[in-house]
Amino acid sequence: MDDATYRLDTSGLLCPLPVRLAARRAADLPVGSRLEVTGDDPAMALDFRVWCERAGHRLLELEERAGRVRCLLELGTAGP
């Protein structure tokens, strides 16, 4: 497992782009690594919960503060 936390800023992008970009980035990373995704789309909170559940990732943290959303994921195996 890689101890690094990879980061992706999706500021200015709206649904479904934050999840799509995160999925592309996750596909290039090893299972068990962490991906921190930040952005300003209020739909990210729900979108990332659903995507993580379907894709086999673990949502470790989810913060919404001052119009910003931060999601910290632990990558699992890709779902169907």
Side-chain angles (χ1 to χ4, degrees):
M1 180 174 114
D2 190 341
D3 289 337
T5 298
Y6 300 90
R7 289 176 173 76
L8 177 65
D9 185 358
T10 64
S11 298
L13 302 176
L14 298 175
C15 179
L17 291 176
V19 168
R20 284 190 180 180
L21 291 175
R24 279 189 196 163
R25 183 70 174 121
D28 294 333
L29 299 174
V31 170
S33 46
R34 291 179 175 201
L35 177 62
E36 179 184 66
V37 184
T38 56
D40 51 10
D41 179 5
M44 282 178 62
L46 176 60
D47 292 347
F48 274 84
R49 282 187 186 105
V50 171
W51 175 62
C52 284
E53 184 178 315
R54 290 182 181 174
H57 306 308
R58 238 176 59 177
L59 184 59
L60 300 174
E61 297 176 20
L62 177 65
E63 287 182 315
E64 295 180 76
R65 191 178 328 168
R68 304 278 305 156
V69 179
R70 178 184 161 273
C71 304
L72 180 63
L73 322 171
E74 183 178 81
L75 302 178
T77 57

